[in-house]
Amino acid sequence: MKQIIIEGGNTLSGEIKISGAKNSAVALVPASILCDEEVTIDNIPNISDIDALKEILKHLGAKIKSTDSTLSIDPSSINNKEIPEEISKKLRASYYFMGAILGKYKKAMMYFPGGCSIGARPIDLHLKGFEALGAKVINEGNKYIVEAEELKGANIYLDIASVGATINIMLAAVRAKGRTIIDNAAKEPEIVNVATFLNNMGAKIRGAGTSTIKIYGVEHLHKCFHEVIPDRIEAGTYIIMGALCGDNLKVSNLIPEHLESLLSKLEEIGVDFEVGADFVTISRSEKYKSTNIKTLVYPGFPTDLQQPFTVLLTQCKGKSKVTETIWENRFMHIPYLTSMGADIVIKNQTATIIGPTPLKGTEVVATDLRAGAAMVVAALLASGKTKITNVEHILRGYENIIEKLSNVGAKIVLKEI
Ligand code: EPZ
């Protein structure tokens, strides 16, 4: 077990470089299976979710080579077999192997994925999509066998614009016969990144980033080189830290357009920041105004930044409201924030925050990845020492967080307990 200890109240200044996007990389790695030759993906973040995906690739018999941030995957030696529960449950994104393996080998055998406990997280839309393409789904307990004699293009309407279902159906449809149309598709930048990767291999996907994606099936996919986009959620987390503790903190190697909903909220509450071509420089101000946020699918305010942003709202004058519409269980950070001194009441899916309130260091838990990020934000701001346990969640999604924060002046250590 690991613990992060932070001595709060220090100013953050200097530069933090953003890594490759977790939620893109975790789809690109399974997507590589669809190729007939070796693919190379650059800007892969060094996080434990990627280690778990590499374990699955090795289990299947793929040849992989990693150097620093580059991962080369040759899937030609894969022997399609069941993915055991102990590895599939290490992360949510293991479900992308279902779409990719089905697309390539017409039969996928694996267990229900794991990931943060932020809601029920069903995969019914993924499975309905596979069925629409002609697959049969057999579900025994936690195990799924998805099989098709032939996959045929279909028109698929998603009841919810799900990121995972959009990507998984795209993966299954890439080598199907004919044309697939996904309507009410999710529009997140990670989906565009995955579609670009597949197109670089010779797939014909049009419209990724809009709510209608058309996939024209192809027979072969060839080698390619691809780059993971910068992580907009990691960037947003450090930008929020800058708004609370920064003095000219430069958060670089990001795509500002991917952060528009966050930046416009920062502007509204009175944060002082400058946006460059690929960076945001941010300093804390004395006074912030309260505001309301509602999490929505992209380009709305991202649910993955809701938890860190709530910490910022504790420092805004007046009453702010946070409404979570994507995940039913994403307020687990709130009791820990109140134990640090925040004034927050939850009713149904809305948290009401009265600020500003000083925060004081104490012992808290990272109940999930972004709740953990929120705890780090709060601890950096708080007076005194904060001990965060269950930090394995944080390390699943934030590359070198200890080094990145130490380099800009934070007093933060990771300890084995
Ligand atoms: C992705 O999860 C991200 N994970 C999540 O990031 C992110 O919070 C989420 O998208 C929303 O942006 C990865 O990319 C690996 P969804 P995903 O399918 O794909 C419901 C983080 O902190 N739904 O868009 O699993 C679902 O219950 C994480 O980095 C169904 O009902 O999310 C939810 O309410 C956590 N049936 C909503 O749709 C389905 O078959 C959106 O989920 C699929 C989803």
Side-chain angles (χ1 to χ4, degrees):
M1 282 249 290
K2 292 188 171 81
Q3 187 180 48
I4 289 179
I5 301 169
I6 296 175
E7 187 69 51
N10 291 292
T11 298
L12 306 180
S13 55
E15 185 173 350
I16 296 180
K17 280 205 171 83
I18 295 308
S19 304
K22 169 183 88 82
N23 288 345
S24 233
V26 295
L28 295 169
V29 171
S32 65
I33 280 196
L34 284 157
C35 195
D36 298 306
E37 299 168 332
E38 183 183 79
V39 292
T40 299
I41 311 171
D42 196 17
N43 205 26
I44 291 270
N46 182 10
I47 51 175
S48 57
D49 268 11
I50 293 292
D51 296 335
L53 293 174
K54 285 189 200 163
E55 211 179 319
I56 297 179
L57 284 175
K58 281 185 195 151
H59 165 80
L60 293 170
K63 289 193 200 100
I64 60 175
K65 283 183 270 174
S66 340
T67 54
D68 260 353
S69 61
T70 300
L71 181 62
S72 296
I73 303 160
D74 179 355
S76 60
S77 51
I78 280 184
N79 168 21
N80 185 20
K81 57 181 169 181
E82 184 178 298
I83 300 173
E85 188 162 22
E86 25 336 332
I87 26 181
S88 71
K89 75 171 186 212
K90 282 192 181 171
L91 77 168
R92 188 75 191 157
S94 58
Y95 59 26
Y96 290 133
F97 279 102
M98 225 185 248
I101 293 177
L102 175 68
K104 176 99 171 264
Y105 303 102
K106 312 290 175 266
K107 183 173 183 180
M109 296 161 285
M110 65 172 290
Y111 286 80
F112 196 78
C116 292
S117 302
I118 51 180
R121 310 195 79 175
I123 57 165
D124 55 313
L125 300 174
H126 304 230
L127 301 174
K128 272 193 211 164
F130 299 151
E131 283 171 337
L133 295 171
K136 201 167 109 194
V137 176
I138 302 167
N139 176 207
E140 297 157 358
N142 270 350
K143 184 174 163 181
Y144 290 87
I145 300 172
V146 189
E147 197 172 4
E149 260 171 40
E150 184 182 57
L151 291 170
K152 277 196 193 145
N155 288 5
I156 299 167
Y157 176 83
L158 294 179
D159 298 334
I160 301 171
S162 150
V163 175
T166 302
I167 294 179
N168 231 343
I169 295 168
M170 224 160 64
L171 298 178
V174 154
R175 296 177 74 133
K177 281 221 161 75
R179 186 188 68 180
T180 298
I181 299 180
I182 310 176
D183 259 320
N184 196 29
K187 295 185 272 200
E188 272 67 2
E190 292 74 22
I191 292 165
V192 180
N193 199 214
V194 176
T196 308
F197 177 50
L198 294 167
N199 285 343
N200 285 347
M201 290 185 213
K204 284 193 186 144
I205 303 174
R206 306 290 178 257
T210 75
S211 55
T212 303
I213 302 181
K214 293 185 180 156
I215 304 139
Y216 301 88
V218 296
E219 284 186 13
H220 300 289
L221 292 174
H222 54 74
K223 65 180 168 198
C224 77
F225 177 84
H226 186 71
E227 217 177 314
V228 183
I229 52 168
D231 195 312
R232 63 195 167 98
I233 307 300
E234 187 202 13
T237 307
Y238 289 122
I239 289 171
I240 291 167
M241 290 173 186
L244 289 165
C245 311
D247 179 9
N248 279 308
L249 180 71
K250 183 174 182 182
V251 184
S252 66
N253 190 35
L254 52 76
I255 300 175
E257 292 73 30
H258 292 174
L259 287 155
E260 261 170 18
S261 57
L262 171 70
L263 297 178
S264 75
K265 278 292 160 190
L266 293 179
E267 206 167 343
E268 192 183 320
I269 65 175
V271 178
D272 174 22
F273 65 92
E274 179 207 336
V275 181
D278 69 346
F279 66 87
V280 171
T281 304
I282 189 155
S283 297
R284 76 174 153 237
S285 302
E286 283 304 307
K287 284 183 189 155
Y288 291 138
K289 284 184 286 186
S290 59
T291 188
N292 299 332
I293 60 160
K294 190 185 224 181
T295 62
L296 289 168
V297 293
Y298 188 82
F301 195 93
T303 169
D304 298 345
L305 284 177
Q306 176 263 107
Q307 292 154 302
F309 196 80
T310 304
V311 183
L312 177 55
L313 293 177
T314 68
Q315 303 309 305
C316 295
K317 190 172 166 46
K319 189 198 279 183
S320 299
K321 282 185 192 275
V322 171
T323 304
E324 173 60 55
T325 73
I326 312 285
W327 301 114
E328 61 274 25
N329 198 15
R330 221 172 195 187
F331 281 145
M332 287 188 289
H333 57 306
I334 302 288
Y336 295 106
L337 288 181
T338 50
S339 76
M340 295 176 82
D343 180 354
I344 309 178
V345 176
I346 305 169
K347 194 169 174 205
N348 301 323
Q349 284 307 102
T350 299
T352 303
I353 303 122
I354 311 279
T357 48
L359 300 183
K360 209 164 165 258
T362 182
E363 294 195 8
V364 297
V365 181
T367 53
D368 58 75
L369 168 58
R370 308 300 171 189
M375 290 304 114
V376 175
V377 177
L380 290 169
L381 171 71
S383 58
K385 196 183 269 183
T386 301
K387 288 185 182 168
I388 311 173
T389 49
N390 265 23
V391 298
E392 282 73 11
H393 283 300
I394 303 174
L395 306 177
R396 283 187 32 227
Y398 288 85
E399 180 178 62
N400 295 338
I401 184 164
I402 308 294
E403 293 78 355
K404 285 187 184 187
L405 284 172
S406 301
N407 288 343
V408 294
K411 290 219 164 74
I412 177 169
V413 287
L414 181 69
K415 256 190 159 178
E416 201 73 50
I417 49 170

